[in-house]
Amino acid sequence: PSELKANMKIKSITPRPPRKPRLERAASLDEKSWRRWRRFRTSQESLTDPNETSSSNGSLQEASLSPPVRGRASPCQQNSLQSSPDASEDSPMGKSRGGTSDLGKRASEISSAFGGLLRGKAFAGGKPRLSQIMPARPLPPMELNVASHTLRTANRIDSDYMDYRHYSQHKFGRVSSSLSDTRLHGNGMVYDNCSTDSMKSTFSLLTPIRSKDVRSRSYLEGSLLANGALLGAEELSKYFPDRNIGIFVATWNMQGQKELPVNLDDFLLPTDPDYAQDMYVIGVQEGCPDRREWEIRLQETLGPHYVMLYSAAHGVLYMSVFIRRDLIWFCSEVEYATVTTRIVSQIKTKGALGICFTFFGTSFLFITSHFTSGDSKVNERKLDYNKTIQALTLPKNVPDTNPYRSSSSDVTTRFDEVFWFGDFNFRLNKDRETVDSILNQNPGTDVSKLLAYDQLTSEMSRGSIFKGFQEADIHFRPSYKFDIGKDSYDTTSKQRTPSYTDRVVFRSRYRDDIQAVKYSSCPVIKTSDHRPVFALFRVKVRPGRDNIPLAAGQFDRELYLIGIKRRITRELQKRQEQKDQKSSSICSIS
């Protein structure tokens, strides 16, 4: 040390306490000084190695800029580190410093001598202590993930959903979430990517609700365009951007048969178009004895995406209204009324049944009827129509959306959209042989020659019935009268003429609000002498006010549970039958 005093100057290095407490025994002042000299030595050796990639600037700065600690220095420090700025200027090393290699060599000698003193004093009588090995390069960052491999596998997000996440953010602009990453970080929670994505609900299509909007108004009353209104324009545009909904309307005379079709898919879910409708309204005349079983079959066919909003009956006239479960909150209370057209009112086989409600700001009326039968009883059928529009007392509590265009003598004028369907019993004014010859000449969909003899088409053109109503173009064969279980028309002794008795007509307060998409029959259902007839519509919907009596999500829960349970049971039975069929083997003897 005496030679080094004259050759070089070393700034005073004093130890300082660690920044964070460590769970280890308290080190002496000599040990702390030794550790700092070890860092100094490592930094100096890195200067001599041109291939070293790690920088030593941080170590040198820490050693030179460390603040002095007031206290008593060790004897080794007093003997070997007696230097000052004045001495450094007078020493030869202060004026002319050597190269990097000389500096590294001298630093190595100093550390060796200093280490010997420490080993003789600080560690005398103890076990030898190995020096800490410092890595040449910084260690790679550790992944802060406490989730097990099984948990991460269970929470793994499919690539299809990742694509949907990008699409939903681009389409719906839902980038923010109620639980952000910064809140998770700030709370010091240990998390991984899977748990964060799950908690943020990034894939949800539900629009975030601001507490400010909830505070500003009540959900039981509000203006037409109020922000956050349940039936307002904002909510309507979110569910129906083009403000059009799809409605399926069907009518079927079941002829009172107890036997129901095995499968109703072809009836309720036709393959054209590809998508199911938003609302299903089915009217039945001469319905089966077990009405509840019929409703269960409808629920089973439509599946869990639909719920029965309402159903009503008038004798053997049934009507069921199914709607997508997401849309039940936008419906008003449902009301119904009935009319009996027979002279003896106790016999409820002929008459009408009406159901009405408001969806957003558009009022709907659905009427199913069974008019008087008979080839020549056209006037009686017109009387049935007139009695129905006058005696059907609707609406009751739901307010009229446009009372200035309503009439007290015609129920169909008190609603925005009206659909009237049923067995109207209008026939073809032609004999059986002529009708059969026309059908045989045109086995396809060209039935224009038959419609020239249609009673209903003729009466509607005159304006004597269904005033203001329209009917889509007919491109299907007559729906009446078939032999049960067959595709042939009546082969009995009566030889009834095939006719278009089952029809669907519609009217609207506003022009072009209702667009007919499809109008057809279902020839595969053969349990009755009538074929079911259905029509698909696109209907324009307008926003409304929240001050109407709301249904508040009411639906037939019991029917929903029974239908879904039966749907699952039938599917399991079908799979078991297929499994048994594959496992069975047939032995043949030659």
Side-chain angles (χ1 to χ4, degrees), residues 63 121 156 189 245 281 305 347 365 398 412 486 572:
K121 295 181 180 181
R156 186 173 298 166
M189 297 174 60
I245 66 171
V281 184
H305 295 289
I347 304 176
L365 173 63
V398 178
T412 62
K486 299 179 181 179
L572 293 177

Side-chain angles (χ1 to χ4, degrees), residues 151-371:
L151 181 61
R152 280 179 288 173
T153 304
N155 291 337
R156 186 173 298 166
I157 300 174
D158 189 73
S159 58
D160 296 337
Y161 285 92
M162 296 301 294
D163 297 338
Y164 177 72
R165 176 183 182 181
H166 174 74
Y167 167 77
S168 62
Q169 290 180 357
H170 173 72
K171 180 74 175 176
F172 301 99
R174 183 180 174 86
V175 181
S176 61
S177 61
S178 58
L179 186 58
S180 62
D181 291 338
T182 55
R183 287 179 57 188
L184 294 175
H185 297 173
N187 295 335
M189 297 174 60
V190 179
Y191 68 98
D192 61 351
N193 294 333
C194 299
S195 61
T196 305
D197 291 341
S198 301
M199 296 170 72
K200 287 169 61 177
S201 300
T202 311
F203 302 122
S204 175
L205 297 181
L206 297 177
T207 304
I209 302 174
R210 297 182 300 181
S211 57
K212 177 183 178 181
D213 297 335
V214 181
R215 284 173 174 264
S216 63
R217 64 178 306 282
S218 169
Y219 278 100
L220 295 180
E221 61 179 85
S223 63
L224 189 67
L225 300 177
N227 187 23
L230 179 62
L231 306 179
E234 181 181 358
E235 200 76 10
L236 176 60
S237 299
K238 183 176 68 175
Y239 283 88
F240 302 100
D242 58 350
R243 296 192 177 184
N244 286 317
I245 66 171
I247 299 181
F248 175 97
V249 179
T251 177
W252 184 27
N253 187 321
M254 301 178 69
Q255 203 186 10
Q257 296 291 333
K258 296 182 179 179
E259 180 186 359
L260 293 176
V262 178
N263 194 333
L264 294 175
D265 290 348
D266 293 330
F267 176 32
L268 301 177
L269 304 171
T271 56
D272 182 24
D274 296 334
Y275 298 97
Q277 307 305 305
D278 301 308
M279 192 182 302
Y280 284 80
V281 184
I282 301 98
V284 171
Q285 307 82 40
E286 298 184 20
C288 61
D290 193 348
R291 171 190 164 200
R292 190 62 173 177
E293 178 63 22
W294 166 247
E295 294 172 350
I296 293 174
R297 292 293 303 276
L298 294 176
Q299 178 70 77
E300 177 189 353
T301 304
L302 294 176
H305 295 289
Y306 295 87
V307 295
M308 191 171 75
L309 178 66
Y310 200 79
S311 68
H314 177 62
V316 290
L317 284 175
Y318 306 155
M319 189 191 300
S320 304
V321 180
F322 287 83
I323 192 171
R324 288 190 61 172
R325 63 186 184 192
D326 315 75
L327 305 177
I328 58 175
W329 302 101
F330 311 110
C331 299
S332 69
E333 291 182 353
V334 184
E335 300 172 339
Y336 86 100
T338 61
V339 174
T340 299
T341 57
R342 279 186 175 271
I343 299 177
V344 182
S345 60
Q346 287 78 10
I347 304 176
K348 299 177 181 179
T349 57
K350 298 292 189 296
L353 168 63
I355 290 180
C356 69
F357 60 92
T358 298
F359 183 70
F360 279 97
T362 302
S363 57
F364 287 87
L365 173 63
F366 299 93
I367 304 176
T368 183
S369 295
H370 194 183
F371 291 164

